[in-house]
């Protein structure tokens, strides 16, 4: 019998999550029944949306149950199969959660071809975060050559891809990131035209001034990942007919930074007078466009025009601490946990 180790939600966080909200449990891995496979997890993706699932308020997705395994997408190797089309040794991606092993129905799994790209890119640039970036830039903002686009969390899993797609479309791209090292990476490696360090900005007014210097003709498209003083600085700089894709607001997820804002009448007035379109989106509503995403982004990846950075932590037991750090910007690139060895 294989021992599986899993991280469970021990209690719901009040504000920022703490170590007490998580619990490591060891249990026996059941054998697969008909239509199921048993999996050995290799990579676990950590994503900011998981913070929302730890709460039980109304949302677009079901909350994780207290005592349940933390949800999440992984890359895994099939170690036993009773499902047609899946054999021992296949590499798959699916929602196993934060665990070293899982036995589950095979119909929610997608097989990966390790010869095409490193398998963990299915959790990043060629997976959900990449698809999120493409959806915001292409489908919602509709970024066009010559336009000025601002991306917050500019070096993160979503932001880095969004910025590079906008650049490949011929836009002027301005990033907002936390610290000089991330900003240098944004301009020197990801190809952003400029990057503003939000730690160097005291408030939304300072951010607005820095953005107006970088975007003197206004911001045509804003890819919203963070909220807080970045949003407060962007709104007054929106150009006529500007578009905002609201993807996330990680600065506010733990209930912090609520004072980093501007009055709603100013937001409303800008939307009205500048005819700004603001659209929130959830990537799972757009999966039918996955092939269109791959047709634009996979060639950029294969040709080396689109690059990415991974922030890898070893060991499932370190997932809670890594997750908590990611929510405050400790990560530098796509946050991954190396759970097991390569196949
Ligand atoms: P990232 O890799 O970008 O990690 C989160 C980043 O947020 C941190 O690295 C940090 O970057 C930034 N951040 C944290 N706190 C603050 C703060 N107070 N002010 C400014 N920036 C902060 O995560 P992802 O790329 O996975 O996700 C980016 C956003 O996209 C999140 O809001 C996420 O919820 C959202 N998302 C939405 C989806 C959808 O369907 N709508 C799907 C997937 C993701 P830095 O150090 O540069 O500030």
């Amino acid at each position: 019998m294989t021992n599986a180790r899993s991280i469970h939600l021990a209690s719901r966080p009040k504000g920022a999550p703490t170590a007490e909200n998580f619990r490591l449990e060891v249990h026996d891995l059941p054998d697969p029944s008909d239509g199921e496979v048993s999996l050995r997890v290799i990579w676990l993706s950590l994503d900011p949306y998981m913070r929302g699932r730890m709460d039980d308020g109304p949302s677009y997705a079901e909350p994780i149950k207290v005592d349940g395994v933390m949800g999440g997408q992984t890359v895994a190797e099939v170690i036993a199969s009773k499902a047609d089309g899946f054999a021992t040794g296949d590499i798959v991606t699916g929602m196993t959660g934060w665990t070293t092993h899982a036995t589950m129905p095979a119909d929610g799994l997608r097989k990966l071809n390790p010869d095409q790209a490193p398998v963990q890119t299915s959790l990043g640039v060629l997976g959900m975060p990449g698809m999120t970036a493409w959806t915001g830039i292409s489908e919602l903002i509709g970024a066009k050559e010559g336009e000025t686009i601002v991306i917050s969390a500019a070096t993160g899993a979503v932001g880095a891809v969004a910025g590079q797609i906008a650049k490949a479309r011929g836009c002027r791209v301005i990033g907002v990131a936390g610290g000089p090292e991330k900003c240098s990476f944004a301009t020197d490696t990801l190809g952003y035209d400029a990057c503003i360090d939000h730690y160097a900005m005291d408030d939304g007014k300072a951010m607005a001034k820095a953005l107006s210097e970088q975007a003197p003709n206004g911001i045509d498209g804003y890819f919203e990942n963070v909220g807080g003083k970045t949003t407060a600085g962007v709104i007054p700089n929106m150009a006529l007919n500007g578009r905002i894709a609201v993807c996330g607001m990680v600065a506010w997820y733990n209930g912090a930074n609520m004072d980093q804002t501007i009055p709603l009448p100013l937001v409303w007035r800008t939307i009205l007078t500048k005819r700004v379109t603001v659209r929130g989106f959830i990537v799972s509503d757009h999966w039918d466009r996955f092939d269109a995403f791959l047709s634009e982004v996979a060639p950029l990846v294969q040709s080396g025009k689109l690059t990415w950075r991974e922030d890898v932590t070893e060991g499932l037991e370190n997932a809670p601490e890594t997750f908590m750090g990611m929510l405050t910007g400790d990560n530098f690139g796509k946050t991954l946990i190396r759970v097991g060895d390569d196949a």
Side-chain angles (χ1 to χ4, degrees), residues 74-229:
T74 60
V75 169
E77 179 186 12
V78 176
I79 54 172
S81 175
K82 278 202 169 177
D84 289 344
F86 290 85
T88 302
D90 282 349
I91 304 297
V92 298
T93 182
M95 302 298 289
T96 66
W98 297 22
T99 186
T100 58
H101 299 78
T103 295
M104 61 191 287
D107 54 11
L109 302 172
R110 180 164 63 93
K111 274 208 251 185
L112 300 174
N113 181 352
D115 297 331
Q116 266 174 0
V119 287
Q120 70 273 24
T121 57
S122 66
L123 305 176
V125 61
L126 293 176
M128 186 277 283
M131 172 71 186
T132 303
W134 178 84
T135 303
I137 291 293
S138 303
E139 309 274 272
L140 279 84
I141 292 174
K144 292 187 281 296
E145 187 173 358
E147 290 192 320
T148 297
I149 307 293
V150 172
I151 318 272
S152 50
T155 65
V158 173
V161 182
Q164 292 179 90
I165 297 173
K167 209 50 225 164
R169 287 177 166 229
C171 302
R172 171 169 171 75
V173 186
I174 302 163
V176 178
E181 197 190 351
K182 286 187 180 179
C183 271
S184 299
F185 179 74
T187 52
D188 301 351
T189 305
L190 300 178
Y192 282 78
D193 296 286
C195 183
I196 297 168
D197 173 4
H198 65 79
Y199 290 127
M201 304 291 127
D202 286 338
D203 52 23
K205 274 197 182 136
M207 181 64 81
K209 184 164 177 294
L211 283 166
S212 71
E213 286 162 8
Q214 292 298 338
N217 298 322
I219 298 166
D220 299 297
Y222 174 47
F223 195 110
E224 167 70 295
N225 278 324
V226 301
K229 60 191 167 189

Side-chain angles (χ1 to χ4, degrees), residues 45-50 60 128-129 131-133 152-160 176-179 182-183 196 198-199 223-230 246-253 256-257 260 280-286 325-335:
S45 173
L46 294 182
D47 301 275
Y49 77 81
M50 295 164 172
Y60 63 92
M128 186 277 283
M131 172 71 186
T132 303
S152 50
T155 65
V158 173
V176 178
K182 286 187 180 179
C183 271
I196 297 168
H198 65 79
Y199 290 127
F223 195 110
E224 167 70 295
N225 278 324
V226 301
K229 60 191 167 189
T230 304
V246 182
C247 175
M249 49 190 96
V250 66
W252 288 323
Y253 283 173
N257 306 312
Q260 292 180 354
F281 73 104
I282 300 298
V283 66
S284 50
D285 295 339
H286 298 262
M326 177 188 64
L327 293 175
T328 53
D330 286 354
N331 66 308
F332 192 170
K334 169 66 205 152
T335 310

Side-chain angles (χ1 to χ4, degrees), residues 231-232 235 252 261-272 278:
T231 308
I235 300 284
W252 288 323
T261 180
I262 54 174
L264 186 60
L266 286 184
V267 178
W268 240 228
R269 185 180 164 75
T270 303
I271 292 172
L272 172 67
V278 182

